[in-house]
């Protein structure tokens, strides 16, 4: 025998009722089934609404009644399309008596708890009747048994307590002789000893099912609802919540008591002693595994199993010097509340006994204040204690788990997570059993609290990087495209969530703390505010986002003066701009120091060889204890392009022009051709190898003429190239006559660095270097004869952008 309970949504529409019937049919092994059903979803609320309107002499209760009626008639029409007359007559009879009851409430202007129970009973009476007759119309072996004839309670209306002796007897007696395969029982409703209708409390159909399951000692109780089990927290509030596979009875009880509505708290109690497992399943997704509650899983080892919350809490504080050391205050306080049937949800008492704080349902708070102040009337008059303080608009959030007691620091994590998110904690309680740590917070903070606690205790950490890009020209645009394309990959595979939060060029800047939409970044930037290096820095500072990264894709010197400011604000820097790292030694050392001090990174992989992993490799060699003896390199994509294309059939001038047009040179080609750019690169490699040198320590033998070097503008420079054509043709002819290639080579040897044009003989690794390729050979203590060689495209927007991207990921992985 099995007991299954289907909740309001599960029986909330004809379609869902069909699901219920097919679930019942799927147990076709002849085993008798008891099916407990709730009212059609939302009907209990509507019945209470109609009752309250009637009580308040508001005739709109008729409208609510008509809605209730229509919902049921529509469901029948869909479920039993033919021969439904008898069912409709009976349902109409029930509805007619419901209407009379509402009219009675309207007339006497009163809705007592007793009448309220009579009223809400209609929900389950109707649903169970309709479902039974639908199944009968399908020829199934089914019968309806009214739970009011089985479950006997006291007269504590709206939340009656069960008389298990007579209840168990009734249930056993009835099912002993029941012949039908499926018995449908309405949940929630019962009868008192005097035969008056009672209910078991809102959400009580779960309890009905547990009572029947325990009386018959069945093997399993199934609670079918609209979610796939008990979740790590309310899935309606936290998107990332997921079903918990197994829970102990105690954990399930705590979670439900602290607000996990999926299970009505008293449900666990009847089945606990008999160790009948409760399986929570989803009617809308019957295949999903759901949650099993039993004591077989008591030691799952996981400390925090779930987080729950109760809203609409009031905190009552009783305090006063007269309480210290005098026994009986708490007793009187609790007795007063108990007499009024006010349920205490949470208690904290300071060890000084100077104050007691209790959390109750806010709806009870006015009554609570009145009765407590009355109880302590004398003490208040004598100023021994203060009148009770009531705070409303509060919620309780609770971490639940049997194993929390075996793990240290859980409450620390909980409170620091709340603190970091600026959530103020009004009171704290930790049950002596340590299955529960609760905090009272403002109700408006609940969503933030549940989400941040869930992230802290249940989610694989995703690191968010907030990137600010300056200089969105060619390379910047490629970088943005690469970020756009890889966003999903980074999130799924590296757990990095990359947000481009700021963009700027020389005219405009734009920011969006939640991430600029990269599909429209150009429009957003065009419509942005006027930019300056200063205002850009200030804005980033003001946004104050965690893991901020400033990416400099300019070739501007002024911007590098802001680098120390960025580092001091704990903002990492990724520089495509070479100026800072090739500036004077003191400045380079200062930047390195600041990055260390403020625990951020200063990365500049693209300063040498664009996207080639040259600096990273060098850093890894040094970090692993290797020593650089010699570096030989061709580091200028532009000069390589020029000398690979220059020959007797063209002019040096035209080839340089072509290189510039194709984007292989700096905007001012003199920086490349004079060798300054290569000198900066070898300077950076020398410094990263541990040498303390400056740019003017590098020997630079220029292949340009005096005229070329002294030109005052880019145009002048081009004009001077035409005049020096012979000089260049001679360089070319000399190399050719020796079967050599011209390459612009950078060298570091015995602590001395030099750059210059060299004739490279056939067979040398540099000889066949094509196009805009770069090559670096590291001779080290570990690589003394055969150098470590890195070779590949050393210029171009795409590869430079991927070098910047790699730096961003390095920071993300840190
Ligand atoms: P039923 O009508 O089937 O009894 P309820 O509405 O009483 O369903 O309970 C199911 C609802 O409980 C879910 O739809 C969900 O919104 C809510 N809920 C709150 N906390 C949790 C939780 N921790 N796990 C699952 N559901 C939860
Ligand atoms: N129909 C009742 C309610 O809404 C009982 C239940 O659904 O469990 O509270
Ligand atoms: Mg429920």
């Amino acid at each position: 025998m099995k007991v299954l309970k289907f909740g309001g949504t599960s029986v909330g529409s004809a379609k869902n009722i069909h699901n219920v019937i097919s679930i019942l049919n799927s147990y076709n092994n002849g085993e008798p089934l008891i099916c407990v059903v709730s009212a059609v979803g939302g009907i209990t609320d509507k019945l209470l609404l109609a009752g309250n309107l009637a009580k308040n002499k508001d005739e709109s209760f008729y409208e609510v009644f008509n809605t209730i009626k229509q919902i049921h008639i529509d469901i029948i029409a869909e479920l039993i399309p033919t021969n439904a007359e008898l069912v409709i007559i009976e349902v109409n009879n029930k509805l007619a008596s419901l209407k009379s009851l509402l009219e009675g409430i309207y007339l006497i202007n009163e809705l007592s708890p007793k009448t309220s129970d009579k009223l809400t009973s209609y929900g389950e009476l109707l649903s169970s009747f309709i479902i039974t007759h639908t199944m009968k119309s399908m020829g199934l072996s089914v019968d309806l048994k009214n739970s009011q004839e089985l479950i006997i309670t006291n007269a504590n209306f709206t939340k009656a307590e069960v008389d298990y002796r007579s209840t168990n007897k009734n249930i056993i007696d009835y099912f002993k002789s029941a012949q039908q395969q499926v018995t449908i029982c309405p949940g929630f409703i019962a009868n008192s000893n005097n035969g008056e209708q009672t209910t078991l409390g809102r959400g009580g159909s779960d309890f009905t099912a547990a009572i029947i399951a325990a009386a018959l000692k069945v093997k399993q109780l199934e609670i079918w609802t609209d979610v796939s089990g008990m979740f790590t927290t309310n899935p309606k509030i936290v998107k990332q919540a997921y079903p918990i596979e197994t829970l102990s009875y105690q954990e399930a009880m705590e979670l439900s008591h602290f607000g996990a509505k999926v299970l009505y708290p008293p449900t666990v109690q009847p089945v606990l002693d008999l160790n009948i497992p409760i399986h929570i399943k989803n009617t809308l997704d019957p295949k999903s595994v759901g949650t099993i509650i039993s004591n077989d899983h008591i030691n799952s080892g996981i400390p925090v199993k779930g987080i729950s919350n109760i809203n609409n809490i009031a905190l009552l504080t009783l305090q006063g010097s007269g309480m210290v050391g005098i026994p009986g205050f708490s007793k009187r306080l609790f007795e007063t509340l108990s007499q009024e049937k006010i349920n205490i949800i949470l208690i904290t008492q300071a060890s000084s006994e100077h104050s007691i704080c209790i959390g109750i349902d806010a709806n009870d708070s006015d009554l609570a204040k009145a009765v407590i102040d009355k109880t302590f009337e004398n003490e208040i008059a004598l100023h021994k204690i203060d009148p009770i303080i009531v705070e409303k608009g509060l919620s309780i959030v609770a971490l639940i788990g049997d194993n929390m007691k075996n793990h240290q620091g859980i409450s620390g994590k909980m409170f620091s997570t709340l603190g970091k998110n600026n959530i103020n904690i009004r009171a704290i309680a930790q049950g002596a059993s340590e299955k529960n740590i609760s905090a009272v917070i403002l109700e408006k903070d609940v969503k933030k609290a549940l989400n941040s606690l869930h992230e802290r205790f249940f989610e694989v950490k995703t690191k968010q990087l907030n990137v600010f890009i300056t200089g969105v020209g060619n390379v910047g645009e490629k970088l943005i495209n690469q970020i756009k394309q890889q966003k999903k990959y980074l999130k799924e595979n590296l757990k990095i969530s990359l947000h481009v939060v700021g963009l700027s060029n020389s005219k405009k800047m734009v920011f969006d703390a939640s991430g600029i939409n990269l599909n429209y970044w150009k429009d957003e930037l065009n419509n942005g505010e006027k930019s300056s290096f200063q205002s850009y820095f200030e804005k980033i500072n003001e946004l104050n986002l965690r893991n901020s990264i400033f990416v400099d894709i300019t070739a501007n010197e002024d911007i590098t003066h802001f680098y120390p400011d960025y580092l001091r604000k704990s903002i990492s820097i990724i520089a495509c701009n070479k100026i800072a790292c090739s500036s004077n030694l003191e400045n380079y050392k200062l930047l390195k120091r600041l990055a260390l001090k403020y625990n951020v990174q200063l990365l500049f992989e693209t300063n040498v060889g664009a996207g080639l992993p040259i600096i990273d490799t060098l850093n890894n060699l040094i970090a692993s204890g290797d020593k650089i003896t010699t570096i030989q390199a061709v580091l200028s994509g532009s000069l390589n392009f020029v000398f690979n294309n220059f020959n007797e059939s063209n002019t040096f001038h035209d080839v340089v022009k072509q290189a510039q047009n194709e984007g292989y040179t700096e905007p001012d080609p003199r920086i490349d051709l004079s060798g300054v750019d290569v000198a900066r690169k070898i300077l950076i490699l020398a410094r990263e190898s541990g040498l303390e040198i400056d740019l003017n320590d590098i020997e630079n033998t220029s292949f340009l003429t005096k005229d070329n070097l002294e030109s005052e503008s880019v145009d002048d420079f081009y004009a001077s190239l035409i005049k020096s054509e012979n000089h260049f043709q001679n360089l070319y002819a000399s190399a050719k006559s020796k079967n050599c290639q011209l390459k612009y080579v950078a060298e570091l040897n015995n602590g001395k660095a030099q750059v210059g044009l060299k004739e490279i003989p056939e067979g040398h690794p540099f000889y066949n270097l094509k196009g805009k390729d770069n090559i670096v050979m590291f001779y080290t203590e570990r690589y003394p004869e055969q150098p470590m060689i890195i070779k590949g495209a050393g210029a171009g927007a795409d590869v430079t952008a991927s070098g910047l991207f790699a730096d961003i990921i390095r920071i993300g992985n840190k």
Side-chain angles (χ1 to χ4, degrees):
M1 198 174 269
K2 226 187 208 98
V3 177
L4 302 90
K5 176 259 172 177
F6 293 89
T9 313
S10 305
V11 298
S13 65
K15 185 168 163 265
N16 290 356
I17 293 174
H18 275 303
N19 276 353
V20 170
I21 297 172
S22 53
I23 290 166
L24 293 172
N25 281 338
S26 70
Y27 292 106
N28 54 4
N29 57 359
E31 182 186 17
L33 302 175
I34 300 162
C35 170
V36 175
V37 294
S38 286
V40 168
I43 292 295
T44 312
D45 287 338
K46 288 193 172 64
L47 288 166
L48 286 169
L49 173 65
N52 279 303
L53 289 168
K55 176 186 94 176
N56 294 328
K57 290 273 175 205
D58 184 337
E59 289 191 5
S60 61
F61 80 83
Y62 280 113
E63 279 166 41
V64 183
F65 168 76
N66 285 333
T67 314
I68 294 171
K69 178 173 177 176
Q70 200 55 48
I71 289 173
H72 288 94
I73 297 294
D74 287 350
I75 287 182
I76 298 171
E78 239 186 293
L79 285 175
I80 317 176
T82 53
N83 303 327
E85 295 76 17
L86 289 177
V87 178
I88 293 177
I89 289 171
E90 183 52 34
V91 165
N92 275 332
N93 283 342
K94 287 190 167 39
L95 288 164
S97 68
L98 165 62
K99 193 170 168 192
S100 313
L101 177 62
L102 288 166
E103 285 167 342
I105 296 168
Y106 179 84
L107 277 178
I108 60 168
N109 206 345
E110 195 184 277
L111 178 58
S112 66
K114 182 169 153 181
T115 312
S116 174
D117 275 357
K118 209 173 272 163
L119 179 64
T120 50
S121 297
Y122 279 95
E124 271 72 6
L125 288 172
L126 283 163
S127 65
S128 57
F129 180 82
I130 293 170
I131 292 167
T132 308
H133 285 276
T134 304
M135 291 178 72
K136 281 196 165 155
S137 76
M138 297 164 95
L140 298 167
S141 161
V142 59
D143 223 335
L144 175 66
K145 179 65 188 169
N146 187 345
S147 311
Q148 290 169 320
E149 294 159 15
L150 299 175
I151 300 179
I152 307 303
T153 67
N154 64 9
N156 195 355
F157 296 104
T158 75
K159 204 172 180 182
E161 282 134 43
V162 178
D163 171 351
Y164 282 99
R165 266 172 58 112
S166 41
T167 298
N168 287 349
K169 183 174 180 308
N170 291 343
I171 294 171
I172 293 166
D173 286 352
Y174 173 76
F175 285 101
K176 213 186 294 170
S177 54
Q179 295 301 311
Q180 66 279 10
Q181 220 244 300
V182 180
T183 308
I184 307 282
C185 297
F188 179 55
I189 57 177
N191 261 359
S192 74
N193 292 315
N194 304 333
E196 286 161 326
Q197 297 185 50
T198 57
T199 64
L200 302 176
R202 292 302 308 271
S205 295
D206 299 342
F207 192 25
T208 305
I211 295 165
I212 297 176
L216 297 173
K217 300 192 169 57
V218 300
K219 281 204 218 57
Q220 177 155 308
L221 166 62
E222 295 184 3
I223 303 283
W224 289 80
T225 181
D226 57 1
V227 284
S228 297
M230 203 167 218
F231 278 58
T232 45
T233 190
N234 189 343
K236 300 244 162 78
I237 305 181
V238 178
K239 272 209 313 264
Q240 287 82 357
Y242 53 86
I244 309 165
E245 274 178 34
T246 59
L247 283 168
S248 72
Y249 291 116
Q250 285 73 17
E251 288 169 332
M253 237 174 339
E254 291 280 336
L255 274 167
S256 62
H257 180 73
F258 278 85
K261 185 190 168 212
V262 63
L263 195 68
Y264 182 56
T267 307
V268 174
Q269 210 211 333
V271 293
L272 183 137
D273 290 338
L274 298 167
N275 202 12
I276 299 171
I278 305 175
H279 196 170
I280 302 181
K281 298 271 292 172
N282 189 350
T283 309
L284 313 176
D285 181 11
K287 289 212 171 64
S288 66
V289 199
T291 300
I292 301 244
I293 302 165
S294 75
N295 273 348
D296 298 344
H297 304 282
I298 216 154
N299 278 322
S300 64
I302 303 166
V304 182
K305 295 293 270 302
I307 310 168
S308 53
N309 71 295
I310 319 178
N311 291 347
N312 197 32
I313 293 291
L315 205 58
L316 308 181
T317 309
L318 186 68
Q319 60 185 23
S321 51
M323 286 168 68
V324 183
I326 298 175
F329 271 93
S330 321
K331 180 169 171 278
R332 285 166 65 202
L333 175 64
F334 298 145
E335 265 171 8
T336 306
L337 292 172
S338 148
Q339 269 159 17
E340 297 299 326
K341 297 206 172 70
I342 295 172
N343 187 25
I344 299 173
I345 303 172
L346 167 143
I347 309 167
T348 65
Q349 176 164 24
S351 54
S352 69
E353 296 177 42
H354 186 80
S355 70
I356 305 176
C357 229
I358 53 178
I360 60 168
D361 186 324
N363 295 333
D364 296 332
S365 64
D366 290 345
L367 174 63
K369 177 166 170 57
V371 293
I372 296 168
D373 283 347
K374 179 95 187 93
T375 300
F376 294 102
E377 204 168 32
N378 287 336
E379 286 85 349
I380 294 171
L382 295 169
H383 298 291
K384 283 186 176 168
I385 61 170
D386 307 331
I388 194 129
I389 303 164
V390 181
E391 288 169 79
K392 295 191 197 172
L394 301 172
S395 290
I396 299 174
V397 289
L399 296 189
I400 313 290
D402 286 340
N403 269 304
M404 293 200 299
K405 56 180 176 299
N406 302 324
H407 289 75
Q408 271 130 23
I410 295 199
S411 47
K413 275 189 208 164
M414 175 181 187
F415 302 137
S416 70
T417 304
L418 295 175
K420 262 189 223 151
N421 287 285
N422 215 10
I423 296 165
N424 194 14
I425 301 171
R426 286 290 304 109
I428 293 169
Q430 177 161 11
S433 63
E434 291 188 46
K435 292 179 193 307
N436 167 328
I437 309 173
S438 317
V440 179
I441 62 171
L442 292 181
E443 193 163 325
K444 72 172 179 50
D445 286 334
V446 163
K447 192 170 176 197
K448 186 156 98 172
L450 289 184
N451 276 282
S452 44
L453 290 172
H454 196 267
E455 185 179 277
R456 183 72 183 83
F457 288 98
F458 292 99
E459 291 166 36
V460 182
K461 297 283 164 304
T462 304
K463 187 167 185 180
Q464 184 172 321
L465 301 182
N466 297 299
V467 178
F468 298 86
I469 303 176
T470 285
V472 280
N474 225 344
V475 173
E477 180 166 355
K478 298 276 187 207
L479 176 63
I480 291 170
N481 287 340
Q482 289 176 10
I483 292 175
K484 196 167 86 185
Q485 188 194 320
Q486 288 304 99
K487 245 179 136 116
K488 196 160 165 258
Y489 176 91
L490 293 183
K491 193 146 196 186
E492 285 170 4
N493 295 283
L494 301 181
K495 300 282 167 224
I496 293 175
S497 163
L498 201 62
H499 290 216
V500 176
V501 179
L503 287 174
S504 75
N505 57 24
S506 54
K507 295 185 196 78
K508 296 282 175 115
M509 60 182 191
V510 66
F511 298 90
D512 183 343
S514 54
I516 293 167
N517 183 337
L518 298 184
N519 292 318
Y520 311 110
W521 69 269
K522 283 190 184 165
D523 291 340
E524 305 237 341
L525 183 58
N526 286 337
N527 297 327
E529 49 191 300
K530 198 171 163 298
S531 75
S532 71
F533 296 147
Q534 176 74 35
S535 56
Y536 196 64
F537 166 71
E538 277 165 10
K539 187 70 199 214
I540 295 175
N541 203 8
E542 199 179 291
L543 279 170
N544 192 20
L545 299 174
R546 66 187 190 277
N547 303 325
S548 290
I549 306 172
F550 169 63
V551 184
D552 176 9
I553 321 184
T554 70
N556 189 296
E557 180 170 355
D558 291 344
I559 198 168
T560 66
H561 300 152
F562 286 90
Y563 283 15
D565 297 335
Y566 279 106
L567 296 172
R568 285 192 184 100
K569 291 291 172 192
S570 293
I571 296 167
S572 289
I573 298 177
I574 294 176
C576 191
N577 187 347
K578 283 188 235 15
I579 295 175
C581 291
S582 57
S583 63
N584 67 62
L585 184 62
E586 278 321 305
N587 190 47
Y588 168 84
K589 284 167 65 177
L590 169 74
L591 296 175
K592 288 265 167 176
R593 236 180 11 249
L594 289 175
L596 267 182
K597 177 165 175 194
Y598 290 95
N599 197 21
V600 283
Q601 304 224 51
L602 166 65
L603 298 179
F604 40 91
E605 180 62 271
T606 51
N607 279 192
V608 182
L612 296 177
I614 297 171
I615 295 178
D616 194 47
T617 306
L618 176 55
N619 290 156
N620 289 338
L621 287 173
I622 307 274
S624 67
D626 204 353
K627 289 213 166 53
I628 307 294
T629 47
T630 300
I631 299 175
Q632 288 176 353
V634 175
L635 292 175
S636 171
S638 12
L639 286 173
N640 219 25
F641 179 91
V642 168
F643 287 108
N644 280 341
N645 287 290
F646 175 53
N647 56 43
E648 61 273 62
S649 60
N650 54 22
T651 69
F652 196 72
H653 166 275
D654 289 356
V655 176
V656 174
K657 198 91 230 183
Q658 188 194 347
Q660 178 163 26
N661 289 343
E662 292 187 16
Y664 295 140
T665 68
E666 299 280 324
D668 181 345
R670 290 173 296 180
I671 296 180
D672 293 303
L673 293 184
S674 65
V676 168
D677 190 56
V678 176
R680 281 179 181 159
K681 290 175 179 167
I682 194 73
L683 172 67
I684 292 170
L685 294 185
R687 285 178 172 172
E688 294 294 299
S689 310
L691 277 184
E692 299 213 332
I693 60 171
D694 262 315
L695 196 60
N696 49 21
D697 295 323
I698 294 171
E699 197 183 314
N700 182 349
T701 330
S702 184
F703 65 88
L704 293 176
T705 66
K706 196 157 169 285
D707 257 11
N708 302 150
L709 288 169
E710 285 172 1
S711 61
E712 277 174 1
S713 67
V714 175
D715 288 345
D716 255 13
F717 177 65
Y718 274 112
S720 77
L721 288 186
I722 295 176
K723 282 196 217 138
S724 317
E725 181 62 19
N726 269 346
H727 164 71
F728 297 116
Q729 286 297 345
N730 288 342
L731 292 176
Y732 175 76
S734 153
K736 195 178 174 192
S737 68
K738 295 173 206 153
N739 197 21
C740 285
Q741 290 276 352
L742 287 173
K743 298 286 167 201
Y744 198 84
V745 176
E747 263 180 297
L748 176 72
N749 218 339
N750 286 329
K752 281 228 152 312
Q754 53 175 16
V755 294
L757 194 64
K758 293 230 158 122
E759 295 178 339
I760 304 292
E762 206 175 349
H764 190 283
F766 293 175
Y767 185 84
N768 275 324
L769 207 60
K770 293 280 176 325
K772 51 190 192 297
D773 281 5
N774 279 196
I775 184 167
V776 181
M777 306 200 293
F778 290 116
Y779 291 90
T780 71
E781 285 182 356
R782 291 186 197 142
Y783 295 87
E785 267 125 43
Q786 289 304 317
M788 177 186 272
I789 300 182
I790 300 167
K791 182 179 161 186
D798 251 328
V799 287
T800 309
S802 57
L804 292 168
F805 203 159
D807 275 346
I808 296 178
I809 292 166
R810 272 180 203 115
I811 295 178
N813 284 337
K814 183 88 174 166

